[in-house]
Amino acid sequence: MLAFLKRLLPALTPVSNVERLRAACGAGLGLFLTGFITQLALGPVDNLVLLVAPMGASSVLLFAVPSSPLAQPWSIIGGNLVAGLVGVTAGMLIPHPYLAAGVAGGVAIGLMLVLRCLHPPSGAVALTAVLGGPAIHALGYQFVLWPVGINSLLLLGCALAYNNLTGRRYPHLAPVAAVPGDPGRAKDRVGFSAADLDAVLKQYGEVMDIDRNALEAILRQAQTRGYLRRTGEITCGDIMTRNVLAVAPETPLRAALDLL
């Protein structure tokens, strides 16, 4: 039984204690600044939502896994705004709260997938718009811009500054596409090619919480380590021909064969 329960634990990649501390401090600081700046902007007000709960989930992605496709700027901004719009609309049009919640969550996920802004905390944004109570319902579509939109922008700004200042590149940008004949694509001639990876991912057919280019880079590094492990300390000099034979382009084939 214990062995089965251990199998239920997710196989996360190894993370250092420094990285754990970095992520935790970043999330805490980001949430504090988001709420604090929001309060400064509005001043002392009563019965007004300044910080919505889904921002806590967004902070996990933005600070703990900033390389995830689900944590990129378009994901949090687009996902939260889309989910907010869907949630408010569902709450207005569907009187039954749980039916409205189900419709809001499902439609929001579908739209996020289509718009390539999938962000899991946005599902909570949609539910908050439906089930958040009188204070949320009174905001109407204003809920989408304030607090959801402003909270998202402030938290994103904190993530941009904190991640880059602490050595984590954010956001993750797609590499420039290689042109045909680019010597940089010579790596495709050894091991797997980019087309091979794309074909496997298409066959896999599921959303993966890792950037496609980051996955390719990791696999190529693992491939290189495998080559080094198998070949040991062999150098290029050990396998290169020392007595190099050269011929001119106009040399007859028979003459070239005679040199061998």
Side-chain angles (χ1 to χ4, degrees), residues 103-128:
V103 170
V107 173
I109 291 173
L111 288 176
M112 285 188 287
L113 286 170
V114 171
L115 297 174
R116 298 178 63 181
C117 58
L118 188 63
H119 187 64
S122 299
V125 171
L127 290 187
T128 301

Side-chain angles (χ1 to χ4, degrees), residues 88-147:
V88 172
T89 302
M92 290 180 173
L93 298 180
I94 303 175
H96 193 287
Y98 299 129
L99 177 59
V103 170
V107 173
I109 291 173
L111 288 176
M112 285 188 287
L113 286 170
V114 171
L115 297 174
R116 298 178 63 181
C117 58
L118 188 63
H119 187 64
S122 299
V125 171
L127 290 187
T128 301
V130 175
L131 306 175
I136 297 295
H137 296 160
L139 294 174
Y141 284 105
Q142 181 183 341
F143 171 76
V144 180
L145 297 178
W146 192 285

